[in-house]
Amino acid sequence: MTAHKTYWLEHAWLGTHVEPGVALDVTPDGRIAALRTGADAPPPGAEVLRGLTLPGLANAHSHAFHRALRSLVQVGSGTFWTWREFMYQVAQNLTPDSYFALARAVYAEMALAGITNVGEFHYVHHAPGGARYADPNAMGEALIEAAAAAGIRITLLDTAYLASGFGEGPNHHQLRFSDGTADAWAERVSALKPREHALIGAAIHSVRAVPADALATVAAWAGERGAPLHVHLSEQTAENDACHAAHGRTPTQLLADHGVLGPRTTGVHNTHLTDADIALLGGTTTGTCMCPTTERDLADGIGPAGRLQRAGSPLSLGSDSHAVIDLLEEARAMELNERLRSHTRGHWTANALLTAATADGHAALGRPDAGRLETGALADFTTVALDSVRTAGPLPRLGAETAVFAASACDIRHTVVGGRHLVRDGVHTLVGDVARALSEAIAAVRG
């Protein structure tokens, strides 16, 4: 891109309201140069985006290879723990090449859903049996390159995963997840380098998978680099019970004791919390990433998102296991779950839910300069059709409510990343036939 490019937005969500007729200029380096309201018609040469344009959506929690489990795990009954056995089977079949192909297709599906940035919670590091590849970061590099090939941004949350439970070493499935020690994990991940579309962050898989005396090592690595730090937290009551038995405290309290909590940290799920846990998370401004479609799919429970936010914990959203990839559905589900629990309506406005899906999600992934349609921000945005069978009828000024409570990923018409038109009229410009790419990549890893 050698000159300013202009997009004309028929309607734009500006964080607090929907504005009709907005001209948006993009700098050569992919940032928003200017926003001009009151543009009743497209300026000469502008690309026209009809519908409601939002900042690009941030998928703050992803396990790309779980996409291969869609529908497969819906046969019969079971629990999170039985679901996990299916997950292990797919994980064992991954190679750097097959993971690149699968992640490229999954990230392209995300782009079609309006997602411009993904937080990939990455723990499949080594070959089956635990042997390192010639490049110890071959799997992480495959994910970074897959995001580039699909045209979206990624924060690779390289995950420490060292144990199968409190006081237990990794089982045979988990050997390829483990670096052996936190110091070895830190040495390996330090070789990963950020690039324009990719940031490097850290993750603690869970308090059951990282021994207590190793938590501070992971936290220190992230702290020294100002990097995002994510952790699965109290997703299951069994984890809470085991933590109490081993340490006499909740997982949240254990993380606090070892310096893990804080404004760069995001707890994923945060489902089964005590009042003291909520106060700790809110008081340290530790974020909360809710993944409602996965949490309901795995029968995890409904997390106290409203109480967490009121306590001071910023909310973001993720599609996690990719039972579906639809951030609008995640936003809607968070509100509707709270309605089911409380028997009252209206816990978050549409604006607040979109903020969780955009600005606060990007911030959780280390990109506070994304997720807003404003001068200087990254030129990442997506357009929702307002004339589909789901969205037709409401007044355009209610576009935020329409997007959250009626639209779906199927209604995404355009996606722009860094000023580049990545999805045009519902077609991915880099991957083309995304459904075929998904089918082929999933067949290759199912074995």
Side-chain angles (χ1 to χ4, degrees):
M1 193 181 301
T2 58
H4 278 56
K5 184 176 186 177
T6 299
Y7 287 90
W8 182 75
L9 318 180
E10 184 181 28
H11 303 282
W13 179 70
L14 300 184
T16 58
H17 67 286
V18 173
E19 184 75 27
V22 175
L24 185 154
D25 296 332
V26 178
T27 65
D29 64 349
R31 292 184 176 270
I32 298 174
L35 285 172
R36 302 188 303 281
T37 58
D40 296 332
E47 288 208 42
V48 174
L49 303 184
R50 294 203 177 273
L52 174 68
T53 296
L54 312 168
L57 306 177
N59 188 352
H61 189 66
S62 162
H63 303 291
F65 76 92
H66 290 190
R67 175 61 177 82
L69 299 170
R70 187 181 293 180
S71 298
L72 174 69
V73 291
Q74 302 301 345
V75 178
S77 61
T79 66
F80 168 87
W81 307 103
T82 55
W83 168 89
R84 191 173 67 158
E85 294 303 311
F86 286 101
M87 179 272 288
Y88 284 151
Q89 293 173 26
V90 173
Q92 288 300 101
N93 293 329
L94 294 171
T95 67
D97 287 344
S98 67
Y99 207 4
F100 167 83
L102 178 58
R104 171 180 173 268
V106 173
Y107 296 155
E109 182 181 358
M110 290 185 192
L112 291 173
I115 293 163
T116 58
N117 191 16
V118 59
E120 184 61 39
F121 199 101
H122 165 56
Y123 55 83
V124 186
H125 301 305
H126 309 300
R132 289 194 170 202
Y133 291 105
D135 174 1
N137 286 305
M139 296 294 269
E141 291 290 348
L143 292 165
I144 290 171
E145 292 308 312
I152 70 172
R153 304 184 196 274
I154 185 171
T155 297
L156 187 74
L157 298 161
D158 195 287
T159 305
Y161 195 136
L162 307 174
S164 62
F166 296 96
E168 302 175 12
N171 65 33
H172 69 283
H173 294 298
Q174 298 162 346
L175 289 173
R176 71 180 310 190
F177 307 162
S178 177
D179 290 292
T181 68
D183 288 337
W185 168 85
E187 180 181 10
R188 178 184 55 75
V189 72
S190 294
L192 286 164
K193 303 303 178 189
R195 49 219 82 167
E196 184 177 356
H197 80 289
L199 301 179
I200 309 301
I204 293 164
H205 180 273
S206 56
V207 293
R208 70 177 186 274
V210 177
D213 60 5
L215 294 171
T217 300
V218 183
W221 186 95
E224 289 164 4
R225 292 160 179 79
L229 174 61
H230 289 214
V231 54
H232 289 136
L233 181 57
S234 289
E235 182 178 6
Q236 296 289 323
T237 55
E239 176 182 294
N240 289 356
D241 295 342
C243 189
H244 265 291
H247 297 288
R249 65 203 69 190
T250 67
T252 300
Q253 291 167 331
L254 186 65
L255 293 175
D257 290 346
H258 291 274
V260 175
L261 304 184
R264 286 180 297 95
T265 300
T266 297
V268 180
H269 304 303
N270 293 1
T271 307
H272 302 285
L273 302 177
T274 67
D275 292 346
D277 291 340
I278 292 171
L280 268 174
L281 293 167
T284 55
T285 61
T286 299
T288 294
C289 179
M290 301 300 293
C291 306
T293 65
T294 290
E295 289 150 6
R296 70 191 183 196
D297 182 61
L298 297 181
D300 287 344
I302 300 172
R307 293 181 62 201
L308 282 160
Q309 188 174 50
R310 289 191 295 274
S313 178
L315 298 180
S316 56
L317 297 166
S319 62
D320 192 1
S321 68
H322 312 314
V324 297
I325 294 177
D326 188 340
L327 262 287
L328 299 176
E329 171 62 19
E330 303 292 347
R332 173 163 58 245
M334 188 164 70
E335 166 66 24
L336 298 186
N337 282 353
E338 198 70 16
R339 292 183 185 185
L340 284 174
R341 192 220 313 263
S342 67
H343 299 178
T344 59
R345 304 175 76 238
H347 299 272
W348 290 277
T349 65
N351 288 335
L353 293 166
L354 286 176
T355 297
T358 57
D360 288 350
H362 289 288
L365 298 179
R367 291 196 183 271
D369 55 346
R372 295 178 177 84
L373 297 181
E374 61 183 36
T375 301
L378 290 170
D380 298 354
F381 40 92
T382 189
T383 304
V384 181
L386 294 180
D387 57 359
S388 77
V389 294
R390 287 164 294 278
T391 61
L395 296 171
R397 65 180 176 80
L398 297 176
E401 287 76 11
T402 301
V404 171
F405 293 106
S408 76
C410 298
D411 297 307
I412 298 298
R413 183 171 283 165
H414 305 283
T415 302
V416 174
V417 180
R420 178 175 64 175
H421 209 149
L422 180 63
V423 172
R424 189 188 302 269
D425 294 316
V427 177
H428 199 291
T429 61
L430 297 181
V431 178
D433 191 343
V434 177
R436 179 176 179 180
L438 284 163
S439 294
E440 292 176 350
I442 290 168
V445 301
R446 276 189 177 164

